């Protein structure tokens, strides 16, 4: 953050600020180096059919396997990657790894599951995104129906017409699109009709206080019923308790993702879950 200019409009550049700048430059270098040396790994969190309990998909969640700092969560590096534009390279890595992973599970007869990949604002605005997705699918030899791209509500609301055009381009590849963290932005449900979407993911802040917050329960209920009117599937994120799962199932929510079922896990651990057949 740049320091507020003083009364005379003069910016004081203090040693502390110099250190901060140096530190940031180092972190950017580190991120660049990590891209070069392939330090990003992808963990996967299962998405289960609410009625049958079967795993129908996984969400790809990036982690940075840092040589000194250990395994880092997205919150520790995605914001900087986003700010510097390096997220485009990181996102491409994740996309490629996720497509290969889904294909590998299919080829080896583990399971056929859809893989959902998060697309950041910078990536979404990048003109080459569609070409990148097409390339990743073809390199992995993955049928596009198995790939889902998650975009956030705030991202698409920034430039609605631009987002619609971009989404149609992606949709034409045969992939499906979902809105992540739904309910936290400002889209109206009538606006949603204009986007070529397959599903909505209810933000986990609405799920967290079920069954104690009747307001959240009412909102969740409304999101599920209106989504259904629009022909969209609904995924609940952050399902942590049986009670939440029961409530969500009663509202008609079709898919569950959350710690109650599984945390995001490395591929080998997810594979073990995929091999378990319910009943
Ligand atoms: P998201 O896409 O909304 O992903 C869901 C996040 O919620 C994950 O955090 C997941 O671990 C967490 N979560 C899932 N179930 C539960 C639950 O039951 N309880 C709680 N408390 N948390 C739960 P994670 O992996 O730390 O990712 C955080 C965010 O970082 C993601 O939110 C997404 O916005 C971003 N992200 C992750 N991977 C990528 C990526 O490859 N590219 C981009 N651009 N962003 C990514
Ligand atoms: Mg997501
Ligand atoms: Mg989310
Ligand atoms: Mg999020």
């Amino acid at each position: 953050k740049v320091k507020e200019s003083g009364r005379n409009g003069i910016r004081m550049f203090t040693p502390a600020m110099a250190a901060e700048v140096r530190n940031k430059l180092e972190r950017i270098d580190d991120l660049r180096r990590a891209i070069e040396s392939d330090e990003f790994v992808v963990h996967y969190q299962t998405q289960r059919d609410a009625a049958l309990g079967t795993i129908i998909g996984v969400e790809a969640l990036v982690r940075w396997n840092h040589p000194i700092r250990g395994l880092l969560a997205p919150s520790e590096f995605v914001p900087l990657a986003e700010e510097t534009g390096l997220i485009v390279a990181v996102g491409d890595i994740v996309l490629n790894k996720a497509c290969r992973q889904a294909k590998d599970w299919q080829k080896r007869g583990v399971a056929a599951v859809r893989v959902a990949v998060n697309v950041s604002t910078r990536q979404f605005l990048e003109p080459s995104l569609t070409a990148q997705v097409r390339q990743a699918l073809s390199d992995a030899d993955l049928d596009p129906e198995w790939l889902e791209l998650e975009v956030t509500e705030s991202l698409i609301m920034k430039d609605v017409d631009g987002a619609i055009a971009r989404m149609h381009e992606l949709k034409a590849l045969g992939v499906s699109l979902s809105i992540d963290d739904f309910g936290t932005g400002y889209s109206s449900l009538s606006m949603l009709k204009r986007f070529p979407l397959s599903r909505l993911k209810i933000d986990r802040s609405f799920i967290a206080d079920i069954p104690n917050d009747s307001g959240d329960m009412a909102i969740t209920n409304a999101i599920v019923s209106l989504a259904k009117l629009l022909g969209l599937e609904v995924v609940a994120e952050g399902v942590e308790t049986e009670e939440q799962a029961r409530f969500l199932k009663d509202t008609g929510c079709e898919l569950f993702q959350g710690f109650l079922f599984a945390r995001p896990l490395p591929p080998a651990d997810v594979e073990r879950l995929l091999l378990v057949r319910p009943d």
Side-chain angles (χ1 to χ4, degrees):
K1 279 261 147 68
V2 174
K3 206 172 173 184
E4 287 285 288
S5 47
R7 214 173 2 160
N8 306 318
I10 296 167
R11 270 174 210 198
M12 302 296 288
F13 197 71
T14 64
M17 284 165 73
E20 206 179 292
V21 169
R22 216 176 308 118
N23 175 274
K24 187 161 181 182
L25 290 174
E26 276 167 20
R27 287 173 58 222
I28 296 169
D29 269 352
D30 202 22
L31 202 51
R32 277 214 185 86
R33 185 195 46 74
I35 292 167
E36 293 295 312
S37 36
D38 196 22
E39 290 174 8
F40 296 97
V41 295
V42 182
H43 285 187
Y44 298 87
Q45 189 178 30
T46 59
Q47 294 182 341
R48 284 178 192 268
D49 181 293
L52 305 171
T54 42
I55 299 169
I56 59 92
V58 291
E59 178 175 5
L61 295 157
V62 70
R63 273 94 183 92
W64 179 356
N65 197 358
H66 194 282
I68 298 161
R69 299 167 66 204
L71 199 67
L72 303 179
S75 57
E76 307 213 42
F77 61 92
V78 166
L80 186 66
E82 176 84 11
E83 190 186 327
T84 53
L86 291 170
I87 193 68
V88 177
V90 175
D92 198 44
I93 291 170
V94 175
L95 189 61
N96 277 277
K97 288 191 195 278
C99 289
R100 285 176 203 276
Q101 186 61 70
K103 179 67 184 197
D104 180 64
W105 281 328
Q106 283 179 19
K107 227 174 30 197
R108 291 171 38 243
V110 175
V113 286
R114 183 173 60 220
V115 64
V117 174
N118 292 284
V119 175
S120 79
T121 308
R122 282 291 275 270
Q123 234 184 325
F124 189 76
L125 298 174
E126 193 68 25
S128 62
L129 178 64
T130 307
Q132 276 178 3
V133 173
R134 189 189 294 115
Q135 190 67 47
L137 288 166
S138 107
D139 287 351
D141 190 28
L142 181 71
D143 193 298
E145 73 174 282
W146 300 106
L147 179 64
E148 171 180 332
L149 301 174
E150 295 188 1
V151 298
T152 61
E153 195 184 357
S154 52
L155 183 166
I156 59 173
M157 295 317 290
K158 265 182 213 150
D159 168 14
V160 171
D161 292 326
I164 290 172
R166 171 41 57 100
M167 286 170 89
H168 277 293
E169 240 178 80
L170 292 166
K171 186 88 195 188
L173 296 176
V175 304
S176 61
L177 299 167
S178 63
I179 297 203
D180 203 357
D181 306 336
F182 186 77
T184 56
Y186 298 96
S187 55
S188 61
L189 280 137
S190 63
M191 184 78 88
L192 282 184
K193 251 189 345 202
R194 302 182 55 206
F195 297 102
L197 290 168
S198 297
R199 47 198 77 81
L200 292 187
K201 301 186 74 179
I202 306 176
D203 191 69
R204 68 181 151 87
S205 61
F206 296 108
I207 312 296
D209 295 325
I210 295 174
N212 301 317
D213 188 319
S214 56
D216 284 351
M217 289 162 88
I219 292 170
T220 300
N221 225 323
I223 293 176
V224 175
S225 27
L226 289 162
K228 292 202 141 187
L229 286 175
L230 294 172
L232 302 176
E233 245 181 1
V234 188
V235 185
E237 284 195 306
V239 183
E240 293 185 350
T241 69
E242 294 286 357
E243 245 175 325
Q244 290 166 350
R246 211 173 312 119
F247 171 80
L248 288 159
K249 204 169 157 183
D250 289 344
T251 66
C253 179
E254 287 117 327
L255 296 169
F256 292 163
Q257 185 179 339
F259 293 174
L260 176 62
F261 307 99
R263 296 194 168 244
L265 297 166
D269 296 330
V270 180
E271 186 164 325
R272 231 164 280 133
L273 295 177
L274 290 172
L275 288 167
V276 176
R277 300 266 173 267
D279 3 278

